[in-house]
Short mmCIF file of all heavy atoms in Angstrom, two decimals:
data_model
loop_
_atom_site.label_atom_id
_atom_site.label_comp_id
_atom_site.label_asym_id
_atom_site.label_seq_id
_atom_site.Cartn_x
_atom_site.Cartn_y
_atom_site.Cartn_z
N SER A 442 -26.58 -9.47 -0.96
CA SER A 442 -27.94 -9.72 -1.42
C SER A 442 -28.44 -11.08 -0.94
O SER A 442 -29.62 -11.41 -1.13
CB SER A 442 -27.99 -9.67 -2.95
OG SER A 442 -27.11 -10.63 -3.51
N THR A 443 -27.54 -11.87 -0.33
CA THR A 443 -27.93 -13.16 0.23
C THR A 443 -27.86 -13.07 1.75
O THR A 443 -28.03 -12.01 2.32
CB THR A 443 -26.99 -14.27 -0.30
OG1 THR A 443 -25.66 -14.03 0.19
CG2 THR A 443 -26.96 -14.26 -1.82
N THR A 444 -27.58 -14.18 2.40
CA THR A 444 -27.50 -14.19 3.86
C THR A 444 -26.08 -13.93 4.36
O THR A 444 -25.79 -14.12 5.53
CB THR A 444 -27.97 -15.55 4.40
OG1 THR A 444 -27.18 -16.58 3.82
CG2 THR A 444 -29.43 -15.77 4.08
N SER A 445 -25.18 -13.47 3.49
CA SER A 445 -23.78 -13.26 3.86
C SER A 445 -23.54 -11.89 4.49
O SER A 445 -22.46 -11.34 4.37
CB SER A 445 -22.89 -13.43 2.63
OG SER A 445 -23.09 -14.68 2.03
N ASN A 446 -24.52 -11.34 5.14
CA ASN A 446 -24.36 -10.04 5.78
C ASN A 446 -23.58 -10.20 7.08
O ASN A 446 -23.92 -11.03 7.92
CB ASN A 446 -25.73 -9.41 6.07
CG ASN A 446 -26.48 -9.08 4.79
OD1 ASN A 446 -26.06 -8.23 4.02
ND2 ASN A 446 -27.59 -9.77 4.56
N GLN A 447 -22.54 -9.39 7.22
CA GLN A 447 -21.69 -9.44 8.40
C GLN A 447 -21.42 -8.02 8.89
O GLN A 447 -21.20 -7.11 8.08
CB GLN A 447 -20.35 -10.11 8.10
CG GLN A 447 -20.42 -11.58 7.73
CD GLN A 447 -20.78 -12.47 8.90
OE1 GLN A 447 -21.64 -13.32 8.79
NE2 GLN A 447 -20.13 -12.24 10.04
N LEU A 448 -21.44 -7.82 10.19
CA LEU A 448 -21.05 -6.55 10.80
C LEU A 448 -19.76 -6.77 11.56
O LEU A 448 -19.66 -7.70 12.37
CB LEU A 448 -22.13 -6.04 11.75
CG LEU A 448 -21.76 -4.80 12.58
CD1 LEU A 448 -21.53 -3.59 11.68
CD2 LEU A 448 -22.83 -4.51 13.62
N TYR A 449 -18.77 -5.92 11.31
CA TYR A 449 -17.47 -6.03 11.97
C TYR A 449 -17.20 -4.77 12.78
O TYR A 449 -17.41 -3.65 12.30
CB TYR A 449 -16.36 -6.22 10.94
CG TYR A 449 -14.96 -6.06 11.50
CD1 TYR A 449 -14.32 -7.11 12.15
CD2 TYR A 449 -14.29 -4.84 11.40
CE1 TYR A 449 -13.05 -6.96 12.69
CE2 TYR A 449 -13.02 -4.68 11.93
CZ TYR A 449 -12.40 -5.75 12.57
OH TYR A 449 -11.14 -5.58 13.10
N VAL A 450 -16.73 -4.95 14.02
CA VAL A 450 -16.32 -3.84 14.89
C VAL A 450 -15.00 -4.24 15.54
O VAL A 450 -14.85 -5.37 16.03
CB VAL A 450 -17.38 -3.54 15.97
CG1 VAL A 450 -16.90 -2.39 16.85
CG2 VAL A 450 -18.71 -3.19 15.33
N GLY A 451 -14.04 -3.32 15.55
CA GLY A 451 -12.74 -3.64 16.14
C GLY A 451 -12.15 -2.46 16.88
O GLY A 451 -12.41 -1.30 16.56
N ALA A 452 -11.33 -2.76 17.88
CA ALA A 452 -10.61 -1.73 18.63
C ALA A 452 -9.18 -2.23 18.83
O ALA A 452 -8.95 -3.42 19.08
CB ALA A 452 -11.26 -1.47 19.98
N LYS A 453 -8.22 -1.30 18.72
CA LYS A 453 -6.81 -1.68 18.83
C LYS A 453 -6.06 -0.60 19.60
O LYS A 453 -6.30 0.59 19.41
CB LYS A 453 -6.19 -1.88 17.45
CG LYS A 453 -4.70 -2.21 17.48
CD LYS A 453 -4.17 -2.51 16.09
CE LYS A 453 -4.59 -3.89 15.64
NZ LYS A 453 -3.87 -4.29 14.40
N TYR A 454 -5.13 -1.05 20.45
CA TYR A 454 -4.21 -0.15 21.13
C TYR A 454 -2.82 -0.38 20.57
O TYR A 454 -2.35 -1.52 20.50
CB TYR A 454 -4.21 -0.39 22.64
CG TYR A 454 -3.17 0.45 23.36
CD1 TYR A 454 -3.41 1.79 23.63
CD2 TYR A 454 -1.94 -0.10 23.74
CE1 TYR A 454 -2.45 2.58 24.26
CE2 TYR A 454 -0.98 0.67 24.38
CZ TYR A 454 -1.24 2.01 24.64
OH TYR A 454 -0.29 2.78 25.26
N LEU A 455 -2.16 0.70 20.15
CA LEU A 455 -0.83 0.63 19.55
C LEU A 455 0.19 1.26 20.49
O LEU A 455 0.02 2.42 20.89
CB LEU A 455 -0.81 1.37 18.21
CG LEU A 455 -1.87 0.94 17.19
CD1 LEU A 455 -1.90 1.91 16.03
CD2 LEU A 455 -1.60 -0.46 16.69
N GLY A 456 1.22 0.53 20.83
CA GLY A 456 2.23 1.05 21.74
C GLY A 456 3.63 0.82 21.21
O GLY A 456 3.89 -0.16 20.50
N ILE A 457 4.53 1.73 21.53
CA ILE A 457 5.92 1.57 21.14
C ILE A 457 6.81 2.20 22.21
O ILE A 457 6.65 3.36 22.57
CB ILE A 457 6.19 2.19 19.74
CG1 ILE A 457 7.66 2.02 19.34
CG2 ILE A 457 5.78 3.65 19.70
CD1 ILE A 457 7.92 2.40 17.91
N LYS A 458 7.70 1.40 22.77
CA LYS A 458 8.70 1.87 23.73
C LYS A 458 10.02 1.26 23.28
O LYS A 458 10.45 1.46 22.15
CB LYS A 458 8.30 1.47 25.15
CG LYS A 458 7.07 2.23 25.65
CD LYS A 458 6.77 1.94 27.12
CE LYS A 458 5.56 2.75 27.60
NZ LYS A 458 5.24 2.48 29.02
N ASN A 459 10.70 0.54 24.18
CA ASN A 459 11.88 -0.20 23.73
C ASN A 459 11.46 -1.34 22.80
O ASN A 459 12.24 -1.80 21.98
CB ASN A 459 12.64 -0.76 24.93
CG ASN A 459 13.29 0.36 25.73
OD1 ASN A 459 13.87 1.27 25.16
ND2 ASN A 459 13.17 0.30 27.05
#
Side-chain angles (χ1 to χ4, degrees):
S442 59
T443 65
T444 57
S445 304
N446 295 295
Q447 295 290 132
L448 173 65
Y449 168 83
V450 180
K453 177 175 284 190
Y454 175 78
L455 306 170
I457 180 171
K458 291 186 178 180
N459 291 316

